[in-house]
Amino acid sequence: MAVARRSFVGGGLALALLGKGALAMAEGTAMYGMIGKMKAQPGQRAALVAILTQGSGTMPGCLSYIVAEDLADVDALWVTEVWDSKASHDASLALPAVKDAIQRGRPLIAGFEKAAETRPVGGVSR
């Protein structure tokens, strides 16, 4: 299936449609992204999801944080993050809620299979 592409005329419209991410691009700040696949201990995926998604909406600079179940592997999760900058991501690791989630989630993680750092360049933010 072909994907339709839309052209936006005028930076104001693009800024309005893309939200904070577009503002970061307009200000010359490079957004920062991460995509990773992790494996939960057998039968612990739902518990790990609960930990990873608690309080994820309160991280300063986080434009998008998505935890998704892998449809082909009952123990795998994909985590996709978009930040206004790498500095915001790095600073999030010092937040008490994030430290707590890491400590509680660590025993439920069997391992990490794939990871990539990205530089988001556009898209939709709601």
Side-chain angles (χ1 to χ4, degrees), residues 36-120:
K37 181 179 182 182
M38 70 174 67
K39 293 278 283 196
Q41 295 289 348
Q44 295 298 312
R45 181 167 80 172
L48 184 56
V49 166
I51 291 169
L52 292 174
T53 57
Q54 279 180 340
S56 61
T58 60
M59 297 182 290
C62 184
L63 304 176
S64 178
Y65 181 83
I66 305 295
V67 178
E69 296 175 337
D70 188 308
L71 296 179
D73 184 339
V74 298
D75 294 318
L77 293 171
W78 288 89
V79 179
T80 305
E81 304 175 46
V82 177
W83 296 83
D84 62 4
S85 67
K86 183 165 183 353
S88 291
H89 169 266
D90 294 348
S92 76
L93 299 175
L95 295 171
V98 173
K99 286 182 173 183
D100 179 60
I102 291 169
Q103 182 178 358
R104 291 185 300 125
R106 188 170 282 143
L108 303 179
I109 299 171
F112 295 89
E113 291 191 354
K114 297 179 182 181
E117 290 183 294
T118 65
R119 183 176 47 85

